[in-house]
Amino acid sequence: MNNASIRGFLVLPLVGVFAVACGGGGGGGATPPVTGATLAGTVQMPSVAPAAATTGFEPMVAGEVVVWFEPGHSVADLDAVGFDLVRGGSGPIAVYHARSAEGRSSWRDGARVADCVEKATCDAADAMAAMDGVRCASPNYLLRAFVEPNDTHYDKQWHYPQINLPQAWDVTQGSQGVIVAVLDTGIVSAHPDFQGRLVGGYDMISNPQTARDGDGRDPNPEDVGDLITPQGSSFHGTHVAGTIGANGNDGQGVAGVDWNCRLMPVRCLGQGGGTIDDIANAILFAAGLPNASGVVPPQRADIINMSLGGPGLNPVLEQACDQAAAAGALLVAAAGNDNSDQPNSPAAFDSVLSVGAVDLVGQRAPYSNYSSTIDIWAPGGDMSQDRNGDGFPDGVLSTMADDQGQLFYKFENGTSMASPHVAGVAALVKAANPSLTAQQLRQVLIGSAGGANLGLPNNGRLIDAFAAVQSAAGSGGNPVTTPVLAVERTVVDFGATGVADSVVLQNLGNGLLTYVGGFADPPASWLTADVFETLANDGIDGDRLELQVDRSGLPNGVQQTTITLNYSDGSNQVSIDVVVRLQVGQATVANDTVFVLLVDPVTLETYYQAVTDATAGFQFSFAGVDPGVYLLVAGTDRDNDDFLGDEGELFGAYPSIDVPIAVEVSTGASLADLQFGLQELATLQSLGLGTAETASAETTFRRLY
């Protein structure tokens, strides 16, 4: 039984999350009293069902089988009935063509899986593997040309392919010689994605009450929580630090931008925020300059990230930033989340690299400031959308903790999330060419930025991790000498009205690439996709993927496919994916039964239950509710295990799953028009509770019948 389900930004259980006095629940069980309060409302189902996941065969050369011979055996010794030799030399490897695959279509073109060319090729590989003299055999699969880490939730980090980060990891994955300071709420150092990555920082908060750790400034930057809302602390610095440098390719959690840099946590934000005094001294500390603590680190930070800010241009902060920059540090700061063109401190200072936020499709995020002082843009996400149809909000996924000591992963959005992308890429650039000064780092980041067609304010450009490290390596390191395929956007969302769009294709490396074909998975009769070359045989300089959709006859809901484009440099094939999505009408999840529960906010015991579905308009009502304080939650139980909130189910809490609020019920009260939405859940490991197999049943809500 899976009882450790975690939605993108809510960890269950909710014990301690709600700052309310427990009034019990009346102990009503499944048979509530006949007198008491009434509650009624409507559960809002997702307006568009998440796109269905598709499975199939990995891309391969149709009909081809790669064979590895045992020592002493060769092509001449293999009696391969039904196979034709394609190529083989003096080494142990040969390639054969399976005649059984001839005349078959791909499952991507609509062929039945049992009859498709991929299935025939796999069967042929199995047959070859069983032959005498063959050590092993495999379909001739097409592999990607860039690094993708094996972290459990990397597939949810859409924000990395958006900035060509996987291609950059082919050049460098960072260096322990680079230090990035994180000026924030501190860090939860026990998180497993930080192990082996931290260097000594400092707690620069001078007021013990604000610090909440019993003293003023001290050498311990551990985040004890800022209690930013009645529902709990933000642990903002832990999320920011994870984007910069969570351990990558370690088989768990998420990957950071840089897998090897060292992180220096400097705590300067406490309950209520941070003072100019504390933040300015934190900047000086990180830069290795004299400061109010009387302490400087053994080695200053190369890069200082500040996902913080305030209105106007503060002269004290400006002096601190100017001095840190003069000392050799690159300062990076969030531009602010006010949807304003007004500059903020410290991002707007000349000595600071200011970062605005884009959403999943590369447009300015709706909250992001757009001042002319913004130097570069990076993924910040938009939690109100799910434009790639993965069932999660389009936030930035990173490391997180809570006030109960749980360690997990959470989606957030904001320019606070954009800034650490830039700081992390800066660390990669520094690793690619350690001789670069801070000013040269800045020039490389800005000069290599792309996204000219995204229409960002003031002709803004999106950071390009690969172009940045390639530029740095080419000026003193080891640049990539092979072609590197990239696209301007990895997701095209036509929404409810769009009919045509195009995506620019790029070769960010060296050498020529030739388009050899592509396919849509799953097949999409509603989509027309063509690749057009700007100049013939020029190595895809500005080539375009042209897309057109035909909505006629499509059912209400979401249509989604992934286009795989294949290119060749003459000897190797590389591929890249573009997700294409559109919405037709307002498809509701019409077949689900929804269980609405009133539960104790501390014990999570269910006291009252209502059941609703589409025939009732997903309306619910409770009668005879005893006075007390309750959590109002709802969800589906698609696996019929009596628990709400499992993977693949819908779940929600009143008034929102992000910031739920307990409902206080008084004698004879009548509460109507209670409305809240349900969203799709997916399982993320909650490290504080153990794995999904060992977590306590208290992490979900039990229905009554």
Side-chain angles (χ1 to χ4, degrees):
M1 181 183 300
N2 177 4
N3 293 323
S5 296
I6 303 173
R7 189 196 180 271
F9 47 96
L10 176 63
V11 179
L12 307 176
L14 300 178
V15 177
V17 174
F18 298 86
V20 296
C22 176
T31 56
V34 295
T35 61
T38 61
L39 294 86
T42 305
V43 174
Q44 298 165 335
M45 303 293 280
S47 60
V48 178
T54 60
T55 59
F57 299 94
E58 292 296 318
M60 66 180 69
V61 179
E64 286 194 0
V65 177
V66 182
V67 175
W68 188 294
F69 293 103
E70 292 283 6
H73 293 267
S74 65
V75 171
D77 300 323
L78 183 63
D79 182 14
V81 178
F83 295 86
D84 298 317
L85 179 66
V86 177
R87 56 186 172 273
S90 58
I93 300 174
V95 178
Y96 289 83
H97 176 76
R99 296 174 193 165
S100 59
E102 293 177 356
R104 297 176 183 265
S105 299
S106 169
W107 73 279
R108 295 181 175 89
D109 296 326
R112 295 175 59 246
V113 170
D115 301 326
C116 69
V117 67
E118 291 88 354
K119 177 67 163 54
T121 305
C122 290
D123 291 345
D126 291 341
M128 293 286 274
M131 293 181 178
D132 291 339
V134 174
R135 175 171 293 183
C136 58
S138 165
N140 198 8
Y141 288 115
L142 301 171
L143 303 184
R144 303 294 179 181
F146 44 83
V147 174
E148 289 197 1
N150 61 7
D151 300 76
T152 314
H153 306 308
Y154 172 71
D155 62 337
K156 303 172 184 69
Q157 294 183 281
W158 57 266
H159 33 103
Y160 291 165
Q162 186 183 56
I163 61 172
N164 294 324
L165 187 55
Q167 293 92 330
W169 287 329
D170 269 346
V171 181
T172 178
Q173 294 157 20
S175 167
Q176 291 185 353
V178 178
I179 295 178
V180 183
V182 184
L183 274 58
D184 217 293
T185 62
I187 199 165
V188 179
S189 60
H191 203 293
D193 254 320
F194 295 142
Q195 300 313 298
R197 303 294 300 286
L198 303 180
V199 298
Y202 212 83
D203 179 356
M204 201 60 69
I205 301 176
S206 55
N207 185 327
Q209 289 184 321
T210 302
R212 299 190 63 250
D213 60 359
D215 56 23
R217 290 171 176 152
D218 62 67
N220 183 6
E222 194 72 18
D223 190 349
V224 297
D226 55 10
L227 293 182
I228 192 170
T229 70
Q231 285 74 40
S233 300
S234 69
F235 294 97
H236 189 266
T238 295
H239 195 279
V240 169
T243 297
I244 296 170
N247 283 323
N249 208 37
D250 62 349
Q252 66 175 337
V254 296
V257 173
D258 186 306
W259 303 350
N260 292 299
C261 71
R262 291 181 292 166
L263 300 170
M264 176 193 291
V266 186
R267 189 169 183 243
C268 58
L269 302 179
Q271 189 169 15
T275 66
I276 295 296
D277 173 30
D278 294 346
I279 296 170
N281 275 289
I283 294 170
L284 296 176
F285 174 88
L289 298 172
N291 60 85
S293 72
V295 178
V296 294
Q299 179 182 339
R300 69 161 174 81
D302 299 284
I303 298 142
I304 299 174
N305 184 82
M306 297 177 289
S307 291
L308 51 84
L313 302 176
N314 185 274
V316 174
L317 277 186
E318 187 168 18
Q319 283 296 312
C321 291
D322 289 349
Q323 290 195 26
L330 174 67
L331 292 89
V332 183
N337 304 327
D338 307 311
N339 187 25
S340 166
D341 63 356
Q342 297 303 301
N344 273 7
S345 295
F349 301 144
D350 291 341
S351 55
V352 178
L353 191 63
S354 177
V355 185
V358 301
D359 61 13
L360 181 137
V361 295
Q363 303 297 307
R364 180 180 74 89
Y367 52 79
S368 178
N369 286 357
Y370 49 96
S371 164
S372 61
T373 60
I374 292 176
D375 299 298
I376 201 165
W377 296 76
D382 181 358
M383 296 286 285
S384 69
Q385 301 290 328
D386 178 14
R387 300 179 77 171
N388 60 359
D390 65 355
F392 288 95
D394 294 339
V396 171
L397 183 63
S398 187
T399 46
M400 184 48 69
D402 66 15
D403 291 303
Q404 287 71 50
Q406 296 183 94
L407 307 173
F408 52 99
Y409 304 93
K410 183 178 181 182
F411 291 94
E412 299 275 15
N413 63 196
T415 56
S416 282
M417 284 64 249
S419 182
H421 281 83
V422 174
V425 172
L428 291 178
V429 171
K430 183 72 172 176
N433 187 347
S435 67
L436 294 178
T437 67
Q439 184 60 29
Q440 289 170 331
L441 273 179
R442 180 187 181 109
Q443 292 170 351
V444 167
L445 294 171
I446 295 175
S448 61
N453 299 317
L454 296 178
L456 294 171
N458 304 305
N459 298 313
R461 297 297 184 96
L462 181 68
I463 191 167
D464 188 323
F466 176 79
V469 298
Q470 177 80 330
S471 174
S475 61
N478 297 305
V480 170
T481 58
T482 57
V484 176
L485 181 62
V487 290
E488 177 189 45
R489 288 178 287 160
T490 56
V491 177
V492 177
D493 186 352
F494 283 98
T497 59
V499 294
D501 205 341
S502 64
V503 178
V504 175
L505 299 159
Q506 299 170 291
N507 177 6
L508 299 179
N510 293 292
L512 296 179
L513 283 171
T514 302
Y515 179 64
V516 295
F519 58 85
D521 175 14
S525 59
W526 48 270
L527 176 66
T528 300
D530 295 294
V531 173
F532 290 92
E533 290 187 303
T534 303
L535 297 172
N537 302 317
D538 69 336
I540 61 168
D541 181 15
D543 293 357
R544 304 184 320 279
L545 171 65
E546 297 283 356
L547 303 168
Q548 287 191 319
V549 298
D550 180 3
R551 300 171 178 274
S552 59
L554 292 177
N556 285 350
V558 171
Q559 299 290 333
Q560 179 170 315
T561 189
T562 298
I563 297 176
T564 298
L565 302 173
N566 298 318
Y567 279 76
S568 173
D569 66 356
S571 57
N572 299 296
Q573 183 162 305
V574 295
S575 304
I576 200 162
D577 294 338
V578 178
V579 175
V580 182
R581 193 168 189 261
L582 64 80
Q583 172 186 328
V584 179
Q586 294 293 318
T588 58
V589 186
N591 298 321
D592 275 306
T593 297
V594 175
F595 301 89
V596 187
L597 311 179
L598 288 173
V599 303
D600 187 291
V602 174
T603 67
L604 304 188
E605 181 181 356
T606 300
Y607 288 106
Y608 301 92
Q609 174 177 293
V611 181
T612 186
D613 56 23
T615 62
F618 293 105
Q619 296 181 345
F620 64 88
S621 63
F622 297 93
V625 177
D626 278 359
V629 176
Y630 302 89
L631 306 182
L632 177 58
V633 301
T636 60
D637 186 19
R638 292 169 174 170
D639 57 5
N640 293 311
D641 67 349
D642 295 333
F643 286 94
L644 310 186
D646 291 334
E647 179 180 9
E649 297 182 349
L650 300 175
F651 184 79
Y654 174 82
S656 76
I657 196 172
D658 191 11
V659 185
I661 298 174
V663 178
E664 185 172 359
V665 177
S666 58
T667 302
S670 178
L671 302 176
D673 298 325
L674 299 172
Q675 297 188 14
F676 60 101
L678 302 189
Q679 301 203 27
E680 194 90 4
L681 290 174
T683 299
L684 305 184
Q685 186 181 23
S686 179
L687 297 169
L689 295 174
T691 64
E693 288 75 19
T694 61
S696 163
E698 290 184 339
T699 60
T700 51
F701 297 91
R702 183 186 291 273
R703 65 184 177 95
L704 296 178
Y705 51 86

